Amino acid sequence: MTRTRQFLLTMIAVISLTAALGITWALSSLRSYNTLYDETAGTSHIMESLEDFTLQAAYRLEPDFTYVSGSDLKESDIKQIQNTMLDNTAYGYDVLSRDPNFHYSVTSKDASLQSLEKPDAQDEDSYTVTFQFKDGKLRGSGSLLGYGFAPQESRSLRSSLEGSSLAVYNDQTGEFIERSYEIPSDLTFHFPEDLTFTYSIPKEPAMSPQGSGYLYNLLVDESLAASVTLSILVLALGLQFLLLLHVPLKVEETTAPWSFVARNSLETNALLLGILSVIAGISAMLLAKLALHGDLMTLAVAGGAKTGVVFSRLVLFTAYTLILLFFSVPLFWIRQIFATGVGCYVHGKSRILESFRKGTVNLAQNILTRRMSIPLILNILCLLLIILTGSPGLAVLYGILLTAALTILAFTVQNGWKTVTGEADRLANGDFKSEPEGDPTLFRPIYDRLLAVRRSFQQALQEGIESTNMRNELISNVSHDLKTPLTGLRSYSELLEITDDPEQMRKYAGKISQYTSRLNSLVTDLFDVSKANAGSLHLDPVHLALDQLIYQALEEAETNWRTKDLQAVISLREAQVLLDPDKTMRIFENLFSNVSKYALKGTRVFVTLRETPTSYVVNIKNTSAAPLNFTAEEITERFVRGDKSRHEVGSGLGLAIVKSFAEVQHGRFRIEIDGDLFRAIVVLPKPEDLPPVPDAQAADDNSIGPVELTDSADDEKEPQ
C-alpha cells in the first residue's frame, strides 16, 4: 500500500507540473496576429485613436491654431467647441503615446514630438504613414492611408462633440450659462500645414511590461492560446481522474489530502470543495486573461520585479500547479461518490438526511409505541397555522415535508424489515456464526431479541464444546492419575508375594502404603471438587483466628520449603473469621504445597494478610522455577498442572480445590502472573458482613453472594 500511495502522489505531482508548464508556455508564447483587414472593429478603434492623437499632437505644437470652423459660429463658440473636442479626444492620445508598439514623430519648424523609438516609414513589417496638410487636404503616403485614415474628415471627432454642453457667457448677467449646442452640418476640421506627421505600428506587436498593451490587444488573436490552455487543462484533469480510478479506493481514502474528503460529510465537502473550486476556476480564468492581455507583466514591473517576463511566467507556473493539484481533490470526491453509489453515499454521508431520517424514525417509533401526543399536536398546530393564515405557500411546504417524511419512513420500514427477516432466516437455517447486517430501524426491539437468541445459542454451543472437551480431558487425566498408583500397588504386591526377605517385605509394604495414600488423596480430591461444584459440601463454620491457621499451615510446609532452601517473608495481622477450619486449612495447605513444588530454589516466598472494609486478603507470592506458559484462568481448572511434564506428584486439582473451597465459603480466589512471578490471592469475608454459613444440605451456588475483590493488595508495600 505504501508503494501505491507513493506512486499516486508522484504521478499527480508530475501531471500537475507538466500541465502547468504547458499552460504557461501557451499563455506566454503562443499567439497569432490579426491584420487590419481581419479585424474590422480593431481597425476602426485604431483609426479613431490615430485621429485623436493627430489633433492632440497638432494642438500641443500649435495651441493658437483654430482647428474648427463653421457658419454662424461666434468666436466664443468656436473656442468652446475646440476645447470640448480636445478634452474628448485626450484619451486616444494618452493611450497611443504610452503604447511601446506605437512609434510617432510630429515636427514643425520650431518644435517636435516623438516616441523613444523613431518611426520608419519604409519598414515593411509595420503599418506606416507620413503626411502633411496642404490646402486643407491630407497629403502623404503609407499603408495606413489605405485603411481610411482621414483626420480632417473624422467621424469620431464630430461624434465626440455630439451631446456635449457648452458654457456660454451672458453679458447682461455676467454669468456662464451651460447649454447644449447643436453642431452645424458644415463644421470643418483644420490642421496646421507646417507640421509633418509620421506614424508606425508593428504588424506583430510585442507584449511589453513597460507600457500600455492597447495595440497588442487589438492585433493579437488570443483564441489559439486560450484553446490550447483549455485543452491542456482538460487533458490534465482527465489524466488525474484516470489515475484516481486506477488506484484502489481504500489507498486514496488513507492518503492526504484525499483522506480529509473521505472523513467529511456530504454537506461539508459540498460547501468547502464548492467554494474552493469556484475560487480556483475564477483564479485560473483571471490569470489567463491577465497573461494574454499583458497586464500580468505590467503588474510585475509595477510591483518592483526586475524582469516582468520571468516573473509573470513564474507566477503562472506556480499558480496553475497549485490549481491542478487542488482539482485532484474534487475529482477524488466524484470518484468516491460513483464508486460507493450515489444513493449509498448520500444515505451514509449526509448529516442533514441522517438527522431528518432519525427524526422521522423516532416519530414513527412514538406512534408504534402509542405515544401519539407529540405527532398529533405538531400536525394540529401546522394545520391550524395554514387555516388561519390561508397561505398556499405554507400548505405546499407542509405537503412537501409530510411527503418527504412519509417517503423516508417507507424506505426505512422496508430496509428495516429486510434486515429483521434476513436475520430470522439465518437463524432458521442454523447459521449462528454470521455477523449481523443492516439497520433494523423501527424493528429494533424485535431485532435485539433475535440477536439475544443468537447469542444464547452461541453460548450454549460454546459451553457444550467446552463441556465435551473438559469431559474428555477429565477422563484422560483421571485415567492417567489413577493408573499410576494402581500400577505401583500391583507391582509391589507381586514382588511382595515372591520374596521371603523380611527387609524387602517391609520395603515393599512401605511403597504399597505410599501408593495407597496417594490413591486415597486423589480420590478425596475428586470427591471434594465434585461436592463443592454440586453444592453438597458439608461445612462446620466456627470462629477462628485466620492468622494462627496460616501459621500452622506454614509450619507443616516448613520441611518441604527447607529442602528447596525457600525463605518465608511473613507479614500477618490478627484476623477473626467465621469459616470451616478443615476447608480453610485445606486452602492454605494446597497453596503452600504448590509453592514447595514449583518455586525456584533459593528464593523468597512472601505471605501477607491485610484487612479491607469487607474482607481479609491473603497474598502468597513466589518466583516460579519453570516458565509460566499458561494463563491464570487455565491453572485453576481441574487437572491442569504447572508441570506440563507431570514430573511432580499431584492430581492437578490443588488450585481447583482452593477456588471451590474459597467460593463455597463466600470468598474469592484468583491468580496473577507477571513474568516469573506467581501470585495467589485469597479473599475471605469478615463474619459481620455476611450471614452465618448455611448448612451443607441447604448450600447452593446461587446463594453465594458477591464479595468485593479489590486490587489494593498491590498498593501495600511488600516486606523485603
Side-chain angles (χ1 to χ4, degrees):
M1 183 176 290
T2 302
R3 290 185 177 180
T4 306
R5 185 180 292 111
Q6 292 175 350
F7 168 76
L8 175 64
L9 293 173
T10 302
M11 291 305 299
I12 289 290
V14 169
I15 293 173
S16 300
L17 290 171
T18 305
L21 189 64
I23 291 173
T24 302
W25 165 78
L27 294 177
S28 302
S29 305
L30 188 62
R31 60 175 65 92
S32 60
Y33 300 91
N34 294 317
T35 65
L36 291 182
Y37 284 115
D38 296 333
E39 188 62 48
T40 304
T43 303
S44 176
H45 281 297
I46 292 175
M47 293 304 107
E48 291 176 1
S49 298
L50 286 174
E51 291 164 359
D52 292 347
F53 183 90
T54 300
L55 175 64
Q56 291 286 334
Y59 178 76
R60 290 170 185 257
L61 293 179
E62 298 287 346
D64 297 330
F65 188 79
T66 300
Y67 290 91
V68 292
S69 64
S71 60
D72 300 329
L73 284 178
K74 299 179 181 179
E75 183 68 22
S76 60
D77 292 339
I78 291 176
K79 288 186 178 294
Q80 290 293 331
I81 292 174
Q82 181 171 300
N83 290 336
T84 301
M85 184 177 63
L86 289 171
D87 291 339
N88 293 342
T89 58
Y91 175 75
Y93 177 86
D94 292 337
V95 167
L96 286 180
S97 63
R98 290 186 285 108
D99 196 320
N101 289 301
F102 179 62
H103 309 140
Y104 61 91
S105 174
V106 182
T107 60
S108 65
K109 296 179 181 179
D110 302 323
S112 66
L113 293 173
Q114 65 180 24
S115 58
L116 294 177
E117 184 176 346
K118 293 183 179 180
D120 184 0
Q122 306 300 321
D123 187 2
E124 296 182 356
D125 294 329
S126 300
Y127 302 104
T128 60
V129 63
T130 298
F131 63 93
Q132 289 180 321
F133 291 96
K134 295 293 185 180
D135 301 326
K137 299 292 183 181
L138 178 66
R139 310 289 183 182
S141 62
S143 56
L144 282 175
L145 292 176
Y147 294 100
F149 173 62
Q152 81 283 4
E153 299 175 359
S154 174
R155 293 182 180 179
S156 64
L157 295 179
R158 179 179 292 276
S159 63
S160 68
L161 298 175
E162 293 178 356
S164 300
S165 58
L166 304 177
V168 180
Y169 183 75
N170 189 325
D171 295 332
Q172 297 179 354
T173 62
E175 297 178 352
F176 285 94
I177 301 174
E178 186 172 324
R179 64 180 178 84
S180 296
Y181 193 87
E182 184 177 352
I183 304 301
S185 58
D186 63 342
L187 182 69
T188 304
F189 301 106
H190 305 283
F191 292 90
E193 296 187 355
D194 59 343
L195 298 180
T196 301
F197 302 84
T198 303
Y199 302 149
S200 175
I201 300 173
K203 293 181 179 180
E204 296 184 358
M207 182 188 297
S208 173
Q210 306 302 325
S212 171
Y214 173 69
L215 294 174
Y216 177 86
N217 293 332
L218 287 175
L219 296 179
V220 172
D221 186 3
E222 303 170 352
S223 59
L224 180 60
S227 300
V228 172
T229 298
L230 182 61
S231 300
I232 294 175
L233 188 62
V234 172
L235 179 61
L237 295 179
L239 291 175
Q240 285 185 348
F241 191 69
L242 291 177
L243 180 62
L244 291 171
L245 289 176
H246 175 72
V247 175
L249 185 61
K250 63 180 180 180
V251 175
E252 297 165 4
E253 290 176 342
T254 56
T255 305
W258 306 289
S259 58
F260 176 77
V261 176
R263 293 192 304 268
N264 283 337
S265 65
L266 170 66
E267 291 78 15
T268 302
N269 287 334
L271 179 62
L272 185 61
L273 294 182
I275 293 175
L276 292 179
S277 297
V278 170
I279 293 175
I282 293 175
S283 300
M285 291 188 292
L286 180 61
L287 284 170
K289 184 176 181 180
L290 291 175
L292 291 173
H293 293 175
D295 297 330
L296 187 60
M297 282 199 301
T298 304
L299 291 173
V301 173
K306 294 182 179 180
T307 307
V309 175
V310 175
F311 182 80
S312 62
R313 290 180 177 179
L314 182 62
V315 169
L316 287 174
F317 176 74
T318 304
Y320 275 99
T321 299
L322 296 176
I323 289 172
L324 287 167
L325 287 174
F326 160 74
F327 271 117
S328 67
V329 178
L331 288 176
F332 160 74
W333 187 43
I334 295 172
R335 186 262 169 104
Q336 186 187 31
I337 291 175
F338 285 98
T340 308
V342 177
C344 294
Y345 185 86
V346 172
H347 183 270
K349 287 288 189 177
S350 175
R351 292 181 180 175
I352 295 176
L353 182 62
E354 179 65 17
S355 299
F356 190 68
R357 188 184 70 84
K358 287 183 178 179
T360 304
V361 170
N362 292 335
L363 184 62
Q365 287 178 340
N366 289 333
I367 295 174
L368 291 175
T369 55
R370 299 182 179 180
R371 287 179 288 187
M372 303 281 291
S373 56
I374 296 179
L376 285 176
I377 291 173
L378 289 176
N379 277 278
I380 292 172
L381 289 177
C382 291
L383 292 174
L384 285 175
L385 184 63
I386 293 171
I387 293 172
L388 292 175
T389 59
S391 172
L394 286 178
V396 171
L397 179 61
Y398 176 75
I400 292 174
L401 292 177
L402 186 59
T403 303
L406 291 176
T407 303
I408 293 176
L409 181 60
F411 282 108
T412 301
V413 170
Q414 183 183 24
N415 294 332
W417 182 248
K418 287 181 179 179
T419 300
V420 172
T421 54
E423 179 64 20
D425 290 340
R426 284 193 292 272
L427 292 179
N429 294 327
D431 181 6
F432 300 103
K433 295 183 179 180
S434 301
E435 292 294 329
E437 299 177 356
D439 183 3
T441 60
L442 298 178
F443 305 99
R444 170 64 65 181
I446 302 175
Y447 190 69
D448 290 341
R449 287 172 173 79
L450 290 175
L451 293 183
V453 172
R454 172 194 290 276
R455 288 191 294 269
S456 298
F457 273 105
Q458 289 176 337
Q459 183 177 357
L461 180 61
Q462 183 64 29
E463 290 176 354
I465 294 173
E466 291 178 355
S467 177
T468 302
N469 294 336
M470 185 177 295
R471 184 170 61 251
N472 294 335
E473 185 179 1
L474 174 63
I475 295 172
S476 175
N477 288 321
V478 168
S479 299
H480 180 277
D481 288 328
L482 288 176
K483 187 183 295 183
T484 300
L486 289 174
T487 302
L489 287 172
R490 178 186 298 174
S491 300
Y492 284 105
S493 296
E494 292 175 353
L495 290 174
L496 189 60
E497 290 178 354
I498 62 174
T499 184
D500 294 329
D501 185 356
E503 185 64 29
Q504 289 293 331
M505 293 176 68
R506 283 193 298 270
K507 179 180 178 182
Y508 295 154
K511 291 291 185 180
I512 291 174
S513 178
Q514 290 178 6
Y515 281 116
T516 302
S517 298
R518 182 174 175 183
L519 184 60
N520 180 68
S521 176
L522 176 60
V523 173
T524 301
D525 288 346
L526 282 172
F527 276 110
D528 288 342
V529 170
S530 300
K531 288 180 180 180
N533 291 337
S536 59
L537 190 65
H538 180 72
L539 297 176
D540 291 319
V542 297
H543 288 279
L544 57 88
L546 182 60
D547 54 325
Q548 296 302 319
L549 185 142
I550 295 174
Y551 275 122
Q552 183 180 345
L554 284 170
E555 290 177 0
E556 294 179 2
E558 182 180 0
T559 302
N560 293 330
W561 285 20
R562 191 174 298 164
T563 302
K564 299 189 71 170
D565 193 21
L566 297 177
Q567 180 182 357
V569 181
I570 304 170
S571 176
L572 304 179
R573 58 168 299 154
E574 292 184 1
Q576 294 294 323
V577 293
L578 182 63
L579 299 172
D580 186 302
D582 293 334
K583 305 302 184 291
T584 308
M585 187 67 176
R586 186 74 174 279
I587 289 174
F588 294 105
E589 284 177 347
N590 286 2
L591 290 176
F592 295 151
S593 175
N594 191 70
V595 170
S596 63
K597 291 177 183 178
Y598 303 114
L600 181 64
K601 290 183 178 181
T603 58
R604 292 185 292 176
V605 181
F606 297 90
V607 181
T608 61
L609 169 61
R610 65 179 184 83
E611 181 181 4
T612 69
T614 60
S615 60
Y616 293 106
V617 181
V618 181
N619 277 273
I620 303 172
K621 291 195 305 182
N622 67 274
T623 303
S624 175
L628 300 177
N629 53 356
F630 49 78
T631 65
E633 291 75 17
E634 291 175 346
I635 197 61
T636 55
E637 293 295 333
R638 289 173 291 178
F639 294 101
V640 177
R641 300 167 62 177
D643 178 19
K644 298 295 184 181
S645 62
R646 308 182 75 88
H647 288 161
E648 292 289 346
V649 176
S651 61
L653 294 170
L655 295 182
I657 291 174
V658 171
K659 181 179 180 182
S660 298
F661 284 7
E663 291 178 352
V664 80
Q665 298 186 91
H666 310 295
R668 291 291 183 268
F669 172 70
R670 77 168 185 265
I671 296 296
E672 292 182 355
I673 296 173
D674 185 6
D676 290 335
L677 179 64
F678 184 90
R679 184 203 300 260
I681 302 173
V682 180
V683 180
L684 297 172
K686 289 183 176 181
E688 61 269 22
D689 295 323
L690 289 174
V693 178
D695 184 72
Q697 301 302 322
D700 193 331
D701 285 344
N702 294 331
S703 66
I704 301 176
V707 175
E708 180 182 1
L709 187 61
T710 66
D711 292 331
S712 58
D714 296 339
D715 301 331
E716 181 180 349
K717 183 177 180 182
E718 298 292 351
Q720 301 295 327

